Amino acid sequence: MLVKMVMELEDVPGQLLKGLEPIARFGGNIKSIMHQRERKTPLGRLPVMLIFDVRDQATLKRILAALKQVGVRVTQVGEREGEIVTTVLLIGHIVHTDIRQTIDQLNAIKGVTVSELNLAVGSLGRESSARMVIAADNKERSMLAISKLRDIAEKKKLLLVTSIEAI
């Protein structure tokens, strides 16, 4: 069973490991981690979104209990059935056109999450490239996210390369 979970961690060394250890101990398989260092919660903590596999609901309950026991605050948890994962490439002045804004616009679509971003930054004034992994809870939302990304790329004059499945 695929699970999406958001936890809040203090911004001190060792906190991410403290949050991941119970998942590993109970056999969870991490698929994606999005550590949002630039965004603080109202409590001054860092939100960390995880997508991971677990055997069953009972295992998830053991993980949540263990996280609570070590003081990790979980703010969201839910199953993600039928997740659709699409990988795209963006090429152009990605940083200068605010990649964070692009990610926020995609994440604002219900059931869609940018789960991974790999950025290769060009030298000053040169283009960059980014590999982005977009997870959606169904095919329609996946197609909506790709359509939205096409609009964003066109407005920001970025080249968008999608897989054949995303066309």
Side-chain angles (χ1 to χ4, degrees):
M1 139 178 151
L2 203 57
V3 176
K4 175 184 174 185
M5 180 171 66
V6 178
M7 58 180 143
E8 293 182 0
L9 301 175
E10 293 180 41
D11 192 10
V12 296
Q15 293 300 298
L16 184 57
L17 181 60
K18 182 173 144 180
L20 296 177
E21 191 281 327
I23 296 169
R25 182 171 11 119
F26 291 105
N29 184 22
I30 306 284
K31 298 290 188 181
S32 174
I33 299 175
M34 190 166 153
H35 192 221
Q36 300 175 350
R37 294 194 59 79
E38 68 283 346
R39 288 186 160 189
K40 300 267 184 170
T41 68
L43 295 174
R45 296 178 178 192
L46 302 174
V48 176
M49 187 192 70
L50 303 166
I51 297 176
F52 59 95
D53 271 323
V54 293
R55 281 185 303 276
D56 51 32
Q57 192 71 28
T59 303
L60 177 58
K61 286 181 181 181
R62 285 192 287 277
I63 290 170
L64 292 172
L67 288 169
K68 186 175 183 178
Q69 187 175 17
V70 296
V72 173
R73 180 183 154 112
V74 175
T75 58
Q76 288 181 11
V77 64
E79 288 184 49
R80 293 187 59 109
E81 300 227 8
E83 182 176 55
I84 308 293
V85 176
T86 306
T87 302
V88 300
L89 297 176
L90 288 170
I91 302 168
H93 294 285
I94 297 165
V95 176
H96 293 90
T97 58
D98 194 0
I99 189 66
R100 182 77 229 171
Q101 179 192 48
T102 301
I103 292 168
D104 287 345
Q105 287 182 52
L106 294 173
N107 285 344
I109 300 170
K110 181 179 169 70
V112 173
T113 304
V114 174
S115 61
E116 189 176 323
L117 178 71
N118 296 46
L119 183 63
V121 180
S123 60
L124 186 63
R126 305 285 300 208
E127 293 182 335
S128 301
S129 61
R131 180 178 147 287
M132 184 182 292
V133 178
I134 302 168
D137 57 9
N138 62 44
K139 185 71 173 170
E140 292 77 28
R141 288 183 176 152
S142 177
M143 292 176 73
L144 177 61
I146 297 303
S147 177
K148 178 72 171 174
L149 188 55
R150 279 193 181 99
D151 292 344
I152 293 168
E154 185 177 325
K155 288 176 185 162
K156 294 184 174 189
K157 296 183 171 90
L158 302 173
L159 172 64
L160 173 65
V161 180
T162 62
S163 64
I164 292 172
E165 293 86 20
I167 294 176

